[in-house]
Amino acid sequence: MPIKIQSDLPVKEILEKENIFVMDENRAVHQDIRPIQILILNLMPLKEETELQLLRSLSNTPLQVDVSFLMVASHEAKNTATSHLNKFYETFEQVKNRKFDGMIITGAPVEQMEFEEVDYWEELKEIMEWTKINVTSTIYLCWAAQAGLYYHYGLQKRMMDHKVFGLFSHKVKNRKIPLVRGFDDEFLAPHSRHTEVPAADIHACEALTVLAESEEAGVFLCMAQEGRQIFVMGHPEYDRVTLDGEYKRDKGKGLDIQIPKNYYPDDNPDNKPLLLWRAHANNLYTNWLNYYVYQITPYDLAGTPF
């Protein structure tokens, strides 16, 4: 699948070196097809790293995907250059009158705060409400999944007595639902969080359907409104060394951090981590784009009866 991005987006060169088909605006306008319009609200501090991870994840179908990046205006990013944000990101005011086939809202390192204490919470609530009528299907990742379950369904998160950190095994539920089509009975996925929405509360919510769950890490994947809302509790988009970087960063700060589970061979941080979750991560995003975005939205988004 060609990913349509701005020709000078810094991660473009990395994607091309990985043999991922990216297309700039000049080539895209000469193709007589309507690309799938995907909006990514990037709440992570290292925005370029997250851009790369998500663009990789969206690169495995024959569809043409036109990606736009969104930032919150009510928070000042401290780890990404202002020039990068001004050039490649839009604010909600700039996009709120448009419609999108799909949207991804990323996690954020604010999980130990109450939702209402987050400085962009009011803006995020406005965006989540807006998705109901302007986006065909929205994926909420990690903290955003907890925020979405709280905002849309009133489910509370809770602090855990230890950080869920590493690779965890999950079992597929409701196999006939297209989002998990092609998944093995059990699969690995990365988690990195101090909080959770209790599995019992998710199962008790009639609006939600659980699609994958772990005995150790809880619910990994659930959805509502026949896929209009998809909640992913972990980080399937993480690359090989993301958990490694988080572990060594926290270790360097003197924090009490445990070695990520099931991640380093022989639990030795000097060993190169094995990439054991990429196939299922790609499958998740491919199924989403195909069954919950492409197959649902009409050619003319402007006339979409949401």
Side-chain angles (χ1 to χ4, degrees), residues 2-21:
I3 298 284
K4 177 180 173 290
I5 55 178
Q6 289 180 245
S7 57
D8 49 354
L9 186 71
V11 300
K12 179 174 183 284
E13 183 178 351
I14 300 174
L15 292 168
E16 289 176 331
K17 287 180 179 178
E18 295 180 4
N19 202 30
I20 291 174
F21 184 11

Side-chain angles (χ1 to χ4, degrees), residues 49 238-246 263 272-273 275 277:
E49 179 179 298
Y238 270 9
D239 61 30
R240 180 193 303 271
V241 296
T242 307
L243 291 175
D244 175 68
E246 290 184 9
Y263 182 59
K272 181 179 179 180
L275 186 57
W277 62 94

Side-chain angles (χ1 to χ4, degrees), residues 42-51 75-85 89 108-110 249 253:
N42 190 352
L43 301 173
M44 294 293 280
L46 301 177
K47 298 195 185 303
E48 291 186 58
E49 179 179 298
T50 303
E51 292 163 15
H75 176 79
E76 181 181 354
K78 299 177 181 178
N79 297 281
T80 302
T82 301
S83 59
H84 183 86
L85 296 173
Y89 280 72
V110 293
R249 176 200 65 200
K253 292 179 178 179

Side-chain angles (χ1 to χ4, degrees), residues 61-63 178 181 284-296:
T61 81
L63 305 172
R181 186 167 291 171
L284 173 65
Y285 285 101
T286 298
N287 286 345
W288 174 61
L289 284 173
N290 185 27
Y291 298 116
Y292 298 91
V293 179
Y294 174 71
Q295 301 287 348
I296 303 299

Side-chain angles (χ1 to χ4, degrees), residues 1-4 21 23 25 27-37 61-66 101 294 298-301:
M1 161 179 60
I3 298 284
K4 177 180 173 290
F21 184 11
M23 178 184 298
E25 304 98 319
R27 181 171 180 181
V29 296
H30 292 93
Q31 294 199 333
D32 189 21
I33 59 174
R34 183 179 81 75
I36 301 299
Q37 300 290 332
T61 81
L63 305 172
Q64 181 179 314
V65 177
D66 187 347
D101 298 293
Y294 174 71
Y299 188 89
D300 183 7
L301 263 179

Side-chain angles (χ1 to χ4, degrees), residues 101-197:
D101 298 293
M103 183 172 184
I104 298 172
I105 304 178
T106 74
V110 293
E111 59 174 331
Q112 298 186 68
M113 301 169 62
E114 295 297 329
F115 293 117
E116 291 80 6
E117 294 175 351
V118 177
D119 58 5
Y120 51 82
W121 178 244
E122 291 301 318
E123 184 177 2
L124 181 58
K125 288 196 319 185
E126 186 179 3
I127 293 170
M128 290 190 290
E129 186 65 26
W130 170 85
T131 64
K132 292 180 179 180
I133 58 172
N134 291 280
V135 181
T136 303
S137 178
T138 302
I139 287 183
Y140 297 79
L141 294 174
C142 201
W143 177 81
Q146 297 181 2
L149 289 173
Y150 176 65
Y151 176 74
H152 293 298
Y153 301 104
L155 300 187
Q156 297 279 352
K157 66 176 181 177
R158 67 182 179 191
M159 287 292 298
M160 305 183 71
D161 58 9
H162 65 283
K163 185 177 183 179
V164 178
F165 188 44
L167 288 180
F168 296 88
S169 179
H170 306 79
K171 293 183 178 180
V172 173
K173 314 288 183 181
N174 291 291
R175 174 168 291 284
K176 292 183 179 180
I177 292 178
L179 191 60
V180 290
R181 186 167 291 171
F183 276 51
D184 294 331
D185 289 340
E186 295 189 21
F187 65 96
L188 292 170
H191 289 260
S192 178
R193 52 187 169 83
H194 294 88
T195 58
E196 69 170 355
V197 178

